[in-house]
Amino acid sequence: EFPVTPTLAVNKGEGWRVSLEATALATIIRKTLFAAAKGNGHYGIVGLYLEAQPKFIALTAIDGYVLAHCREQATLTSDAAIKGNACTAIIPPQAAALASKAFAKYEGIVDIIISGDCIAFSTPTAEISQRLVEGSFPKYQDVIPLDRNIEYQATANKAQLVQAIELATAIAPEWSNYGPRSVAMQWSAG
């Protein structure tokens, strides 16, 4: 017998809902999912960290070597949002990947509903639900430099830089001193 799908609702004081364009959801998942930790080494980072504010949603993924962070405009419905607090959860990578594929070509709004320990991605015609990842996500903000007085700054052609990284990654060893499939960069003036 197939298990019963939980009915998630946003009740007063419990749970929250984020609404955003389906293409925006697919984009931020695609831009962060690759960096989610694989395996059980650090349970809290095996997933995408969802932060929702009244006007935007952010997803962050980290595996100990790579950090990916992306924001999109969204509408948050929650008592916490009214008080100015962020609503946060850790989304399982499988649920995020499935939602990204399912809603990539959907033209409309997707609601992300968090209630208790469950998440649902919902449209009028489809719903994907799964339990959230338990644990606490690391304070990733600590590794992002906030001080704009950076000692060195480089400007590069994006297409050329991406091509060079892809070429180097293709022949990089599975594991190096810098981490999995790492490429060391060396910069020089001129």
Side-chain angles (χ1 to χ4, degrees):
E1 183 174 305
F2 196 78
V4 177
T5 304
T7 303
L8 302 184
V10 178
N11 301 320
K12 188 168 181 68
E14 185 179 317
W16 45 280
R17 172 190 320 263
V18 179
S19 303
L20 73 158
E21 290 289 332
T23 53
L25 174 64
T27 299
I28 63 173
I29 291 173
R30 180 180 48 79
K31 288 182 175 181
T32 54
L33 186 60
F34 73 93
K38 283 109 179 124
N40 297 338
H42 302 285
Y43 194 66
I45 63 173
V46 179
L48 300 177
Y49 185 61
L50 170 73
E51 295 173 277
Q53 298 279 354
K55 301 284 185 198
F56 75 88
I57 181 177
L59 285 181
T60 306
I62 187 168
D63 70 356
Y65 297 97
V66 177
L67 180 137
H69 178 78
C70 190
R71 287 174 44 148
E72 275 291 341
Q73 289 183 336
T75 304
L76 174 62
T77 306
S78 164
D79 289 346
I82 294 167
K83 296 173 186 168
N85 298 326
C87 296
T88 62
I90 303 175
I91 304 171
Q94 304 88 340
L98 184 57
S100 178
K101 288 178 187 174
F103 302 125
K105 295 183 181 176
Y106 176 74
E107 293 182 13
I109 301 293
V110 175
D111 289 330
I112 301 172
I113 304 165
I114 307 285
S115 183
D117 65 350
C118 292
I119 182 170
F121 299 91
S122 180
T123 68
T125 58
E127 184 172 294
I128 297 167
S129 63
Q130 190 168 355
R131 288 181 58 132
L132 293 168
V133 175
E134 295 178 7
S136 58
F137 202 79
K139 292 187 175 185
Y140 69 90
Q141 298 91 338
D142 293 347
V143 299
I144 299 173
L146 297 176
D147 185 7
R148 296 296 177 209
N149 296 327
I150 298 170
E151 187 175 347
Y152 299 103
Q153 184 172 346
T155 304
N157 178 293
K158 180 182 175 183
Q160 290 175 341
L161 179 62
V162 168
Q163 183 182 20
I165 292 171
E166 286 175 348
L167 286 171
T169 304
I171 61 170
E174 264 316 298
W175 189 264
S176 72
N177 293 338
Y178 303 107
R181 284 257 187 240
S182 297
V183 176
M185 291 189 201
Q186 202 169 25
W187 300 85
S188 61

